[in-house]
């Protein structure tokens, strides 16, 4: 189930240049949310009709935390809001990570229990990995290795990942950790694992898909596409799939419904 | 001022479109609501006069490359490219789903050739659907890609061809991308249409100045949403004065007042499109708002309002 709610903002903060967080007090949404899912956030300005899809960064009781980068007028509006103000949101949306299922599927395919999960987050793809890291850590079935890519030394959320596993950092400007992107960090630090989870810009996901295929590792990646309904009705947000999709009867899956998390082998990016 | 003493049960919101009775005039616009499955988590479909399904063709269509949409001021541009699963899947999955509800089913049909439309309409003849809505904004591939709905003779011809095989009443959905909408309405009336719906989207373009390219991959797309409402109201008014057919009006409806504009210039039915993306409950809010307006203003029957602005 997903819901439409008018929620109260309970906390906001600026985490890095242009990167903000917001905690939202929900009635039902947080209780049903999974890592990897997203919410639709609506503008209070009637000239902007379409929802802004934002990933769930943390789930805490009845609260959801989102972390977003100011990318245009809508996210700019959100960044100016304060605790006590209200927002319309819808969710939780998308498939998210069905952790138990994914871990047993991977074990089934590889014939080996998942002992180590590698989580890749690039830029504003870092936040959605946090709840996943927490749930993997809490389940105590495998080690968590997080590889986080940032532009510079503003390592937002990094210290929170430290609580849930081992963290490796790459920065584009080389100010901290490996200079370059997350895959450069993987190569330099010789990181391996039994399953990959990744969220970030498309070129990064493309490289991870190739890396996973070369090394025969199952990889789950979160895709982004422009959305209108956010619930699977309008067919705005499709991605190319290698198989005929059951819903569409063509090689297109809905990022907002069948995704945003896909097995990397099943999509063309 | 005298306060109206009407209550809910005194009101008549029911309307007839081409002999089909709708419990109220409100439906959603094709393509913005799928077949209602996803929205049924938010909306009680029993409360809609009808559900209008996403355009379906005789065979599956893959649609356009992404990005398929872009937001614009008070509206959006879409170039979905009529992606659809084809009639077989639609008839096996979507129609049985909708039959669970106490609402009418209007199936929107698209095609690339006259034969495509005829094939789809013939197959739908055996299905338990109430009305067909023929989207003639699709390019006619045999006539150099110009839309069926842009040339009066072509619109009349496709209407007549569809009418010849259709088992259900036929609504012709008009494109606003024409010089004279009244002439198009007269053409489909001459072809034998049972009703008309309008407006489809207005062709538009948006440039993404950061990427220095078109905001939607198809370059052009259809503009919809509140930004187009005044154009749509004007066109419904013109069509109401040009033909003797029931009209379903749409284009930028977000609330009851917007819907009443269309009704007052002559629409018997109204459809909510883009506004569903902003608030999935818009359709039922429009129904409730029309009811409130009638109570407030002592209007017993919706027919007192249809076409009351000449
Ligand atoms: C599933 C999903 C999860 C996301 N999670 C996050 C997140 O956790 N944090 C974060 O900062 N960003 C996230 N994004 C990207 C975020 O949706 C956009 O940055 C945001 O919509 C930009 O809105 P704007 O009004 O500021 O920009 P504008 O450019 O003014 O937006 C114009 C329109 O384009 C859409 N749009 C613009 N960029 C994107 C984009 N990258 N993806 C989808 N739609 C876009 C907007 O929603 C809006 O409809 C996510 C996107 C998706 C699809
Ligand atoms: C995303 C999207 C998809 C649409 N798909 C169809 C379609 O399949 N067939 C059709 O006849 N009209 C389609 N339309 C047009 C709408 O039904 C409607 O005519 C138009 O959007 C104007 O109404 P609105 O401003 O309320 O959205 C679509 C519109 C949108 C925004
Ligand atoms: S945004 Fe409408 S189907 Fe995904």
């Amino acid at each position: 189930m997903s819901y439409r709610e008018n929620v109260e903002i309970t906390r906001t903060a600026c985490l890095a240049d242009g990167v903000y967080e917001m905690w939202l007090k929900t009635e039902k949404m947080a209780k049903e949310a999974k890592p990897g899912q997203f919410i639709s956030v609506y503008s209070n300005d009637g000239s902007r009709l379409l929802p802004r899809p934002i990933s769930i960064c943390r789930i805490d009781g009845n609260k959801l935390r989102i972390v977003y980068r100011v990318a245009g007028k809508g996210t700019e509006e959100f960044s100016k809001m304060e605790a006590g103000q209200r927002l319309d949101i819808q969710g939780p949306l998308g498939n998210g990570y069905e952790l138990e299922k994914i871990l047993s599927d991977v074990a089934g395919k590889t014939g080996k229990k998942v002992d180590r999960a590698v989580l890749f987050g690039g830029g504003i793809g870092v936040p959605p990995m946090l709840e996943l890291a927490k749930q993997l850590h809490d389940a105590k079935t495998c080690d968590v290795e997080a590889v986080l890519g940032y532009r510079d030394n503003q390592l937002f959320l990094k210290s929170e990942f430290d609580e849930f596993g081992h963290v490796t950092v790459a920065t584009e400007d080389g100010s901290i950790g490996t200079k370059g992107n997350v895959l450069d960090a993987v190569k330099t630090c010789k990181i391996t694992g039994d399953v990959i989870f990744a969220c970030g810009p498309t070129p990064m996901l493309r490289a991870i898909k190739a890396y996973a295929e070369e090394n025969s590792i199952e990889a789950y990646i979160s895709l982004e596409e422009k959305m209108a309904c956010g619930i699977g009705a309008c067919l705005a947000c499709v991605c190319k799939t290698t198989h005929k999709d059951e819903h569409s009867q063509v090689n297109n899956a809905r990022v907002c419904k069948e995704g945003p998390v896909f097995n990397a082998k099943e999509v063309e990016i | 001022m005298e306060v109206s003493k009407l209550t809910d049960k005194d009101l008549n919101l029911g309307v007839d479109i081409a002999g089909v009775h709708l419990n109220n005039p409100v439906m959603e616009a094709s393509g913005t609501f799928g077949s209602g499955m996803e929205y049924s988590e938010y909306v009680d479909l029993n409360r809609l006069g009808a559900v209008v399904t996403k355009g379906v063709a005789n065979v599956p269509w893959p649609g356009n490359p992404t990005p398929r949409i872009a937001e614009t001021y008070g509206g959006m541009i879409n170039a979905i490219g009529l992606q659809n699963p084809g009639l077989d899947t639609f008839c096996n999955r979507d129609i049985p789903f909708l039959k669970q509800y106490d609402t009418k089913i209007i199936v929107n049909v698209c095609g690339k050739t006259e034969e495509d439309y005829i094939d789809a309409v013939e197959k739908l003849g055996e299905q338990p659907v109430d009305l067909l809505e023929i989207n003639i904004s699709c390019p006619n591939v045999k006539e150099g890609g110009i839309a069926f709905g842009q040339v009066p003779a072509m619109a009349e011809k496709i209407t007549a061809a569809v009418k010849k095989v259709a088992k259900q009443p036929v609504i012709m959905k008009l494109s606003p991308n024409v010089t004279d909408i009244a002439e198009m309405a007269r053409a489909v009336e001459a072809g034998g249409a049972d009703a008309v719906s309008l407006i489809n989207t207005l062709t538009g373009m948006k440039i993404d100045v950061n990427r220095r390219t078109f905001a939607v991959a198809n370059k052009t797309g259809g503009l919809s949403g509140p930004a187009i409402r005044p154009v749509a109201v004007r066109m419904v008014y013109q069509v109401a004065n040009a033909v003797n057919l029931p009209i379903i009006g749409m284009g930028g409806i977000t609330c009851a007042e917007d819907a009443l504009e269309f009704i007052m210039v002559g629409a018997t039915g109204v459809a909510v499109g883009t506004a569903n993306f902003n608030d999935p409950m818009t359709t039922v809010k429009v129904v409730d708002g029309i009811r409130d307006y009638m109570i407030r203003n002592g209007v017993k029957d919706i027919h007192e309002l249809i076409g009351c602005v000449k």
Side-chain angles (χ1 to χ4, degrees), chain A residues 226-238 254-257, chain B residues 277:
Chain A
K226 293 267 159 83
M227 295 183 178
C229 71
I231 61 172
C234 74
L235 309 179
C237 67
V238 300
R254 299 165 293 183
V255 171
C256 72
K257 193 80 181 177
Chain B
F277 302 149

Side-chain angles (χ1 to χ4, degrees), chain B residues 107-110 117 121 132-137 158-159 162 170-174 197 200:
Chain B
V107 178
N108 183 285
V109 177
C110 53
Y117 284 101
V121 167
L132 305 180
E133 180 179 58
I134 311 297
N135 176 4
I136 52 171
S137 296
I158 189 82
T159 309
V162 163
V170 171
I171 306 162
M172 297 304 287
K173 181 159 179 182
L174 304 182
S197 58
N200 211 317

Side-chain angles (χ1 to χ4, degrees), chain A residues 51-55 67-69 72-75 124 224-226:
Chain A
R52 272 59 185 163
I54 306 286
S55 302
V67 172
Y68 56 93
R69 172 169 278 148
K73 295 223 174 74
T75 44
I124 205 64
E224 262 188 19
E225 194 44 76
K226 293 267 159 83

Side-chain angles (χ1 to χ4, degrees), chain A residues 2 47 49-50 52 235 252, chain B residues 41-42 62 68 71 74 278:
Chain A
S2 59
S47 72
L49 299 173
L50 299 182
R52 272 59 185 163
L235 309 179
N252 276 341
Chain B
E41 282 191 25
Y42 299 89
R68 290 178 167 186
E71 190 180 62
N278 186 253

Side-chain angles (χ1 to χ4, degrees), chain B residues 91-127:
Chain B
C91 293
N92 292 330
R93 177 184 66 196
D94 300 34
I95 296 177
F97 166 79
L98 285 171
K99 285 312 278 182
Q100 300 169 275
Y101 295 91
D102 174 26
T103 187
K104 294 297 188 290
I105 304 174
I106 305 183
V107 178
N108 183 285
V109 177
C110 53
K112 295 186 176 103
T113 61
E114 194 173 298
E115 293 74 34
D116 285 355
Y117 284 101
I118 290 174
D119 189 17
V121 167
E122 270 179 343
K123 286 190 177 136
L124 282 163
E126 294 143 27
Q127 293 292 325

